[in-house]
Amino acid sequence: MRRRDAPVLPEPGLADLAPDQRLRRLELTVTRRLDGLLHGQYRGLLPGPGSEAAGSREYRPGEDEVRRMDWAVTARTTVPHVREVDADRELTTWLLVDASPSMEYGTATLDKRELAVAAVAAVGFLTAGVGNRLGGQVLTPEGVRRFPARGGRIHLLGLLRALLGAPRTDGHPDTPPPTLADGLDGLHRVATRRGLVVVVSDFLDGLPDDPDAAPAWETVLRRLAVRHQVLAVEVTDPRELELPDVGLVTLVDPETGRHREVWTGDPALRERYAQAATAQRDQVRHALRRSGATHLALRTDRDWSADIVRHVHSQRRLAAAPAAARGGAA
């Protein structure tokens, strides 16, 4: 019997658990919370596209592809419409997971790499089903680790276990590591069948200093979006967005190892840092929008499962809004 004055210990966080315990926690979170909240019509993480017809809706400039125009409905209503399709019943999902040194940073409940594993678990368990397959590529400093597209829970757990057990960066490799553009290009070659492509990264790799210039990965991501549904999961940490007032700190570039001492007691410096960080995030967001990818932003200091639920619901409302406005007629 527990004493009345015995302290109640807080539940351990995901990062405090052993790899197998983390897998169990992730599976329970997805199957009990996410799957329960997202239960409904079979559409997966994103509404359409696929091959099964599901009516038409009004054309949205800048968002819809012209090749999906429903010319019959457009001619009948004199308003541009596009065809809507439900997600294919047999779905192939391809993952590209960024495990570069910049993803090993974190100052909250999780670091960015652990949050990336949680995002992969959500995608894997939510898209699991009879006939569905999941494949992936992981970008590490040593090279690209590839996982063939296969079905089943055992395959998914093996992928998650490999991500959790991958060694952390020790120093900097002698040879240049693969870039995000390299990983996307490799994914473009293997993902020959139309399906879902999920890219989990901080998208800092290949980001030019000129905010008006396109990142190195934008062109190949746009090519993927022409054929596939693309979900870009952007992973960030709050300390990347603002600099705390903690005196003299040493900042380290995880990709190059360069060090720089910074006095954070200067309010003007902290303001410039916040402005530069905001501009950088805007640069990533605009590039993802231009490429045609759906953008899901996750932060290490937020409830990632709640953010995913809100994202899926907003995507479904966006897809259903035009049909509702027409009273279901198309």
Side-chain angles (χ1 to χ4, degrees):
M1 183 175 179
R2 192 181 71 181
R3 292 178 52 187
R4 184 170 300 177
D5 59 348
V8 178
L9 298 177
E11 184 180 3
L14 186 64
D16 302 321
L17 301 175
D20 285 343
Q21 292 175 313
R22 275 186 274 181
L23 286 177
R24 182 61 178 162
R25 172 76 64 81
L26 287 171
E27 185 173 8
L28 288 175
T29 300
V30 175
T31 55
R32 288 185 178 178
R33 183 174 185 185
L34 293 188
D35 195 35
L37 291 173
L38 299 177
H39 180 70
Q41 184 179 2
Y42 183 100
R43 289 197 176 213
L45 281 171
L46 298 174
S51 59
E52 187 175 340
S56 301
R57 61 168 173 78
E58 291 185 11
Y59 170 76
R60 292 192 290 263
E63 297 182 24
D64 294 322
E65 302 173 31
V66 177
R67 61 188 177 86
R68 291 179 54 209
M69 293 292 294
D70 191 330
W71 297 111
V73 177
T74 299
R76 188 170 68 249
T77 63
T78 69
V79 177
H81 279 67
V82 292
R83 294 185 304 274
E84 279 193 309
V85 287
D86 285 340
D88 291 323
R89 295 291 175 174
E90 293 186 359
L91 177 70
T92 300
T93 301
W94 286 98
L95 293 160
L96 179 63
V97 186
D98 185 356
S100 62
S102 68
M103 293 290 288
E104 296 180 7
Y105 178 74
T107 61
T109 306
L110 304 173
D111 66 21
K112 290 161 62 177
R113 181 165 147 181
E114 290 164 338
L115 183 54
V117 175
V120 171
V123 172
F125 286 118
L126 287 176
T127 59
V130 177
N132 290 354
R133 300 189 305 160
L134 179 73
Q137 297 190 13
V138 182
L139 296 177
T140 71
E142 291 75 28
V144 180
R145 186 170 182 184
R146 296 175 174 83
F147 297 85
R150 295 174 181 166
R153 178 176 175 274
I154 300 301
H155 173 66
L156 171 59
L157 292 178
L159 173 59
L160 293 173
R161 190 172 286 108
L163 290 173
L164 289 172
R168 298 282 176 163
T169 304
D170 184 13
H172 301 278
D174 297 331
T175 58
T179 65
L180 184 59
D182 294 334
L184 290 169
D185 189 61
L187 207 60
H188 184 265
R189 290 194 298 268
V190 299
T192 56
R193 180 183 177 185
R194 185 177 180 86
L196 174 65
V197 170
V198 181
V199 185
V200 185
S201 174
D202 53 16
F203 294 96
L204 297 178
D205 179 38
L207 207 60
D209 295 332
D210 182 0
D212 296 325
W217 41 261
E218 182 180 332
T219 300
V220 65
L221 188 63
R222 186 183 296 117
R223 290 205 306 266
L224 277 167
V226 170
R227 182 174 181 82
H228 305 277
Q229 267 187 298
V230 177
L231 174 63
V233 181
E234 180 192 13
V235 178
T236 59
D237 185 86
R239 287 295 171 260
E240 295 176 317
L241 306 176
E242 59 182 13
L243 203 59
D245 183 3
V246 292
L248 184 66
V249 297
T250 301
L251 302 180
V252 181
D253 186 334
E255 303 287 349
T256 64
R258 290 185 300 175
H259 292 65
R260 183 172 182 177
E261 290 189 341
V262 175
W263 174 253
T264 61
D266 182 359
L269 172 66
R270 296 200 304 274
E271 178 63 23
R272 291 197 304 271
Y273 180 94
Q275 291 176 355
T278 299
Q280 189 179 61
R281 291 297 105 192
D282 289 341
Q283 187 179 5
V284 170
R285 185 174 66 254
H286 294 326
L288 293 176
R289 181 181 300 171
R290 289 193 302 266
S291 69
T294 301
H295 182 200
L296 167 59
L298 299 180
R299 287 177 45 140
T300 58
D301 61 339
R302 292 175 56 94
D303 184 344
W304 58 270
S305 59
D307 285 340
I308 291 175
V309 168
R310 279 191 291 266
H311 173 80
V312 174
H313 282 315
S314 67
Q315 289 296 310
R316 292 181 178 177
R317 284 197 302 269
L318 181 65
R326 297 192 308 271

